[in-house]
């Protein structure tokens, strides 16, 4: 075992591997929720107030106040269950995947579903899902540093020897090269890695920047609330001389000021936001990605499988003299058969790569009755220095040996040692194919007389066979997604390993800027960091790029103050994904190490899903900001109405603890459910990305919320004094003023649900959560002010329906004022943009 493996690292790894067997905190039932609830300051205040009412002899009000705790526990439990459901759905998606052989078929399953005796296929970049013994390997090298602490990868071989670690693979280790087949022996906690986590009970979660800002705000409000509450107790006692009532009023103030909704709303929004992202095939691995999505200014995307369909097919074959297109393959079989066969022999026997699958399909089409009579003797893998792959095979029947090679045209020309004239001739063909959007592969073969195989494929004497053009159609939805990005102020950069002319052709099809400024991988190596930083703002295409160069691209963009979203799928993409503001790993073709380094995982490898995630990220952030702004706004009148009677003995007490609890029962679900369900703002993808340095609660936003709260407070206080002037009793004044506050609150919610749509549009939309909560609030209000039993509990008297007209008029004036301000603000924005 690795001695230096910290507890945090183990927890993080085990969490990543998604072991269900891990001892963890059991899901909370309603009793567990109740236990947590009673630790919260808000509920301690409720209990204290309830007990004080009972001491004062007001048993009914005390008991009802205490009983509301169970209602709040139920609401909290519902929110918890909804959040847990979302998180469990994400947990099922986030498990590392494994490629297994079952019933003779290769299928990809969640790593947690691997069982003993499964046959697992290990490829470069995969995390080993469980402990197993190898029975077939090809240049297999595994990084076991997570267990041993040794940074040097271990070369593995198939040895059925339980005492020899070379023939075994272990859960959590990383395949860095080659391929292997392993029979699984142990899973989960029974693996060597799993043993480390048996004593771990909890998995730590990293807090986001928004969490930290929220903590600071809550702390400041809590301190402010404590000070105000103490002042209220003292002032109330000096004015009215009753300590118990003074304490009750102080506690009511504390309940009004305490911002207990903030952490609940943030938790629900982020959890449900991640769940909503998963519904559009985007898995959130890091909650901070939801905050950052709306800030992305540059989106760097792979071409193959993301912008294109990753379903390659052979479209054209060049045999050294003529080109043959796929419609004429059958009638020109003799002219292209040899090239196709060598491309097939140079490919894996059971290919995963779409290009190699295309060669297999075309080979089968032209050789319908052929059998695979060849045995692999040696494979020379693709390398960074030579983009070509060579396989040496022996015919089982005739004992003949053939050597087949395929790769980038430049690499094959080099292997074939072509003269300048032939190289120029074939490069012209490559250029013409690339201009049509084809991915061009060159094919060569060699004979072998000696039985000794050379150490390098360069040592063979190759003969040029021809060129093959493959087509990977673009996804039909990509052009519209590119347009959305351009409209949203998000620059799209396409990164590909293809030929520059191929990249330009694809760029034209998907609608990238017409200038098609382009940098190749070789050009990139020649540029200094400063030169790249200057040029990159005008670049929309990178061609012939290798994965390690992506990190330079990310850093150059970030040096220009860009917020970068970067896609990747391979082991070498991990540094770029980690460095990017939003790393996006591919879910289908991506390796587990790429997924671990990323913030998001694209489950369908589709570019349009990234754009949909940006749209949804903006919507989530907007709705969260609106919910938080509403919380601040609605607490202003509650605080004001609680404070007033403390300083003026002639004024009747308006808000008691029970009244504040009823208001909280409206506020909590509105914040965490209604706002979360609200539709996106108009032209959400027409505005510029959000500045990441901008505070979630900037001064302007806080002032806007406070202004709304003061309007509602002013309206309620006006009706409050008007009712006193009309000669109503204290209980009637309390009923009228409380009704004004509730109705005004409803109108405040309607205007705050959208910043770009007027309230008439909002009320016609199908946000059923809003209507259910507001309907319940109105029904509760009508019952409280009209039923004698409830009137007594809430210290109300019914003044007659006509006396509530002023409440509706006052609330309507607030709504009209805020709607006019909203209209003027949106009109100013439109004029500025135009």
């Amino acid at each position: 075992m690795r001695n230096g493996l910290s507890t945090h690292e183990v927890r993080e790894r085990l969490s990543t591997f998604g072991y269900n067997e891990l001892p963890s905190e059991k899901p909370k039932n309603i009793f567990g929720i109740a236990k947590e609830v009673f630790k919260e300051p808000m509920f301690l205040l409720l209990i204290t107030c309830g007990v004080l009412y009972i001491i004062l002899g007001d048993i009914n009000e005390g008991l009802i106040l205490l009983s509301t705790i169970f209602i709040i526990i139920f609401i909290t439990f519902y929110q918890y269950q909804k959040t847990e459901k979302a998180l469990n759905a994400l947990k099922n998606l986030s498990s590392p995947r494994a490629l297994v052989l079952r019933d003779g078929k290769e299928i990809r399953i969640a790593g947690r579903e691997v069982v003993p005796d499964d046959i697992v296929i290990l490829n470069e970049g995969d995390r080993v899902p469980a402990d197993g013994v190898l029975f077939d390997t090809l240049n297999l090298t595994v990084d076991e540093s997570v267990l041993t602490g040794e940074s040097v990868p271990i070369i593995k071989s198939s040895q059925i020897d339980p005492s020899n670690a070379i023939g075994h693979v272990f859960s959590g280790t990383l395949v860095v090269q080659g391929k292997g087949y392993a029979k699984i022996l142990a899973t989960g906690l029974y693996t060597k890695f799993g043993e480390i986590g048996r004593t771990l009970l909890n998995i730590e979660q990293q807090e986001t920047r928004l969490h930290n800002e929220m903590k600071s705000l809550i702390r400041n409000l809590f301190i402010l609330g404590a000070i105000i509450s103490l002042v209220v107790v003292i002032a109330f006692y000096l004015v009215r001389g009753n300590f118990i009532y003074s304490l009750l009023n102080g506690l009511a103030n504390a309940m009004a000021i305490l911002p207990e909704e903030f952490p609940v709303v943030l938790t629900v929004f982020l959890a449900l936001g991640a769940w909503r992202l998963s519904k559009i095939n985007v898995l959130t691995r890091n909650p901070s990605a939801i905050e950052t999505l709306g800030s992305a200014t540059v989106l760097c995307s792979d071409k193959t499988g993301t912008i294109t369909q990753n379903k390659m097919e052979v479209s054209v074959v060049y045999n050294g003299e003529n080109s043959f297109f796929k419609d004429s393959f059958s009638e020109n079989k003799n002219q292209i058969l040899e090239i196709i066969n060598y491309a097939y022999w140079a490919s894996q026997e059971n290919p995963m790569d779409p290009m190699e699958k295309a060669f297999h399909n075309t080979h089968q089409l032209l050789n319908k009755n052929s059998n695979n009579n060849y045995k692999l003797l040696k494979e020379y893998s693709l390398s960074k220095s030579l983009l070509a792959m060579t396989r040496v095979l022996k015919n089982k029947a005739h004992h003949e040996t053939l050597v087949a090679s395929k790769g980038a045209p430049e690499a094959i020309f080099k292997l074939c040692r072509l003269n300048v004239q032939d190289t120029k001739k074939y490069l012209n063909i490559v250029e013409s194919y690339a201009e049509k959007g084809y991915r061009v592969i060159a094919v060569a073969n060699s004979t072998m007389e000696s039985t000794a195989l050379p150490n390098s494929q360069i040592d063979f004497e190759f003969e040029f066979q021809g060129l093959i053009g493959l087509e990977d159609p673009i996804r039909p939805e990509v052009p519209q997604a590119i347009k959305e990005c351009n409209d949203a102020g998000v620059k799209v950069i396409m990164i590909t390993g293809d030929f520059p002319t191929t990249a330009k052709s694809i760029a034209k099809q998907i609608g990238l800027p017409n200038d098609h400024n382009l940098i190749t991988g070789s050009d990139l190596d020649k540029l200094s960091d400063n030169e790249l930083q200057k040029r990159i703002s005008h670049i929309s295409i990178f061609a012939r790029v290798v994965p390690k160069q992506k990190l330079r691209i990310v850093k150059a963009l970030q040096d220009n103050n860009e917020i970068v979203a970067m896609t990747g799928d391979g082991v070498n993409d991990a540094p770029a994904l980690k460095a990017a503001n939003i790393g996006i790993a591919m879910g289908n073709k991506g390796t587990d190490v790429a997924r671990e380094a990323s913030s998001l995982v694209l489950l369908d490898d589709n570019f349009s899903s990234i754009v949909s995630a940006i749209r949804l990220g903006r919507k989530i952030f907007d709705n969260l900001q609106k919910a938080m702004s509403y919380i601040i706004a609605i607490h202003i009148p509650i605080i004001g109405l609680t404070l007033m009677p403390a300083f003026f003995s002639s004024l009747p007490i308006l808000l008691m603890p029970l009244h504040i609890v009823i208001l909280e029962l409206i506020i909590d679900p509105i914040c965490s459910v209604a706002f979360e369900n609200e539709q996106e703002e108009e032209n959400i993808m027409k505005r510029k990305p959000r500045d990441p340095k901008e505070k979630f609660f900037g001064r302007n936003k806080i002032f806007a919320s406070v202004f709304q709260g003061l309007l509602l407070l002013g309206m309620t206080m006006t009706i409050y004094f008007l009712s006193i002037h009309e000669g109503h009793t204290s209980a009637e004044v309390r009923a009228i003023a409380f009704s004004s506050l509730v109705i005004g609150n409803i109108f405040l919610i309607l205007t705050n649900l959208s910043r770009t749509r007027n309230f008439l549009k909002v009320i016609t939309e199908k946000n059923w959560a809003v209507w259910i909560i507001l309907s319940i609030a109105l029904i509760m209000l009508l019952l409280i002010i009209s039923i004698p039993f409830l009137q007594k509990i809430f210290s109300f008297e019914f003044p007659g329906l006509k006396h509530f007209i002023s409440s509706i008029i006052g609330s309507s004036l607030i709504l009209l004022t805020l709607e006019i301000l909203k209209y003027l603000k949106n009109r100013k924005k439109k004029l500025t943009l135009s």
Side-chain angles (χ1 to χ4, degrees), residues 581-783:
N581 302 92
I582 309 168
I584 306 171
M586 301 296 105
N588 289 330
K589 63 177 181 175
T591 58
D592 284 335
V593 70
R595 287 156 61 98
E596 288 176 33
S598 65
S599 304
L600 303 174
V601 178
L602 212 58
L603 300 177
D604 59 356
D605 295 3
N606 193 334
F607 179 84
S608 64
S609 295
I610 305 174
V611 182
S612 298
I614 292 174
R615 175 187 287 272
L616 188 54
R618 291 185 175 192
K619 172 189 168 183
I620 293 166
F621 194 88
D622 283 350
N623 287 344
L624 178 59
Q625 210 165 52
K626 286 183 285 188
M628 297 298 193
S629 298
Y630 162 74
I631 291 172
I632 293 174
I634 192 58
H635 275 75
I636 298 297
I638 296 175
I639 295 167
L641 294 172
T642 313
L643 283 173
M644 287 295 292
F647 297 96
F648 301 98
S649 59
S650 59
L651 297 178
I653 296 174
L654 177 57
L655 290 184
M656 300 174 181
L658 188 57
H659 302 139
I660 295 172
V661 168
I662 293 299
L663 288 170
E664 293 291 345
L665 290 176
I666 300 171
I667 295 168
D668 278 357
I670 278 290
C671 295
S672 57
V673 180
F675 277 103
E676 197 280 330
N677 276 300
E678 185 55 27
Q679 294 184 23
E680 66 185 41
E681 297 291 353
E682 289 181 350
N683 300 319
I684 194 170
M685 293 296 281
K686 298 283 186 183
R687 70 191 191 206
K688 291 181 180 180
R690 181 178 56 84
D691 184 355
K693 296 179 182 178
E694 181 184 349
K695 282 191 174 182
F696 185 82
F697 283 115
R699 281 184 297 179
N700 291 339
K701 292 183 179 66
I702 291 176
F703 287 154
S705 297
V706 171
F707 173 73
Q708 289 186 359
L710 290 174
L711 273 181
L712 183 53
L713 173 62
M715 182 273 291
T716 310
M717 290 301 297
T718 301
I719 292 171
Y720 176 71
F721 286 115
L722 186 63
S723 302
I724 294 173
H725 181 71
E726 289 176 350
H728 290 285
T729 64
S730 295
E732 288 176 341
V733 168
R734 193 176 294 115
I736 296 170
F738 184 78
S739 301
S740 301
L741 183 57
V742 172
I743 295 168
N745 180 28
I746 290 171
F747 282 32
L748 189 67
I749 291 165
L750 291 177
T751 191
N752 272 292
L753 283 170
S754 176
R755 290 172 178 164
T756 56
R757 306 186 306 280
N758 61 55
F759 82 99
L760 293 173
K761 285 186 179 179
V762 169
I763 61 177
T764 56
E765 292 164 354
K766 295 180 180 179
N767 188 342
W768 299 116
V770 171
W771 290 113
I772 291 170
I773 295 166
L774 295 186
S775 298
I776 292 171
L778 284 172
I779 291 168
M780 284 174 62
L781 178 62
L782 289 171
L783 293 174

Side-chain angles (χ1 to χ4, degrees), residues 434-568:
E435 286 175 356
K436 295 175 182 176
Y438 297 136
R439 182 177 182 181
V440 185
I441 298 296
V443 180
N445 77 301
S446 178
T447 55
M448 202 182 106
E449 297 177 0
S450 172
T451 55
L453 293 172
N455 293 326
S456 172
Q457 54 188 323
I458 298 175
D459 297 327
F460 288 106
E461 293 184 4
F462 283 104
E463 179 183 347
F464 180 71
Q465 283 291 322
L467 301 168
I468 298 176
L470 300 106
E471 185 178 23
D472 184 7
I474 67 166
R475 294 179 184 266
E477 62 273 17
V478 168
Q480 177 58 33
I482 295 284
K483 184 179 182 302
E484 281 190 46
C485 282
N486 291 334
D487 292 342
V490 180
K491 179 184 178 181
V492 178
I493 294 177
M494 184 176 73
I495 301 175
T496 177
D498 280 347
F499 211 70
T501 45
T502 305
K504 285 184 178 181
S505 175
I506 296 296
K508 184 177 180 181
Q509 293 179 56
I510 63 176
L512 282 183
N514 294 328
D515 54 8
H516 296 326
N517 286 321
L518 180 146
I519 290 180
T520 64
S522 56
D523 294 334
L524 194 60
D525 287 335
K526 295 173 186 175
L527 294 173
S528 68
D529 289 343
N530 288 335
E531 289 172 333
L532 178 59
Q533 185 183 343
K534 290 175 183 177
R535 287 192 58 186
I536 202 166
S537 58
H538 305 291
I539 302 300
S540 55
I541 307 168
F542 285 88
R544 276 295 191 248
V545 168
V546 293
K548 69 175 184 178
Q549 292 174 322
K550 286 186 177 182
L551 182 58
R552 283 199 69 198
I553 295 171
V554 170
K555 287 185 175 178
L557 288 166
Q558 289 176 331
D559 287 341
N560 285 339
N561 298 318
E562 304 284 4
I563 305 300
V564 184
M566 167 68 77
T567 67

Side-chain angles (χ1 to χ4, degrees), residues 365-431:
L365 178 69
L366 300 177
N367 301 271
K368 293 183 178 178
N369 299 318
S370 69
N371 294 314
N372 186 8
N373 293 320
Y374 291 95
K375 178 185 177 182
L376 177 67
L377 297 181
K378 184 163 181 154
E379 178 179 290
Y380 298 88
S381 301
L382 197 79
S383 67
K384 296 170 186 175
S385 58
L386 186 64
L387 299 175
M389 175 182 178
T390 299
R391 286 165 60 91
V392 182
L393 303 108
K394 187 173 184 179
N395 190 301
K396 297 173 186 176
H398 305 292
H399 303 290
E400 295 173 349
T401 302
L402 65 87
V403 182
S405 183
K406 63 172 172 55
E410 310 98 299
I412 296 297
F413 297 162
K414 180 181 177 182
L415 287 177
C416 295
R417 300 174 177 85
L418 295 179
N419 58 44
V420 176
Q421 186 178 353
D422 286 342
T423 301
K424 186 176 180 181
K425 172 187 172 183
Y426 297 141
L427 278 176
N428 288 335
I429 300 296
V430 171
E431 192 80 16

Side-chain angles (χ1 to χ4, degrees), residues 795-806:
S795 301
F796 288 161
E797 287 180 10
F798 186 62
L801 288 174
K802 67 177 183 178
H803 293 287
F804 294 105
I805 294 174
S806 58

Side-chain angles (χ1 to χ4, degrees), residues 120 122 127-135 137 140-142 144 147 154 156-157 164-175 180-186 191-192:
V120 175
L122 301 171
R127 283 278 176 195
V128 180
D131 289 2
V133 61
L134 293 161
F135 60 86
T137 61
L140 184 65
T141 308
V142 179
E144 295 184 345
L147 289 175
I154 308 298
K156 296 287 184 176
S157 63
N164 196 330
I166 293 176
H168 288 72
V169 287
F170 303 102
S171 174
T173 57
L174 174 66
V175 179
Y181 291 81
K183 182 180 179 180
I184 297 304
L185 301 177
T191 64
K192 283 188 176 295

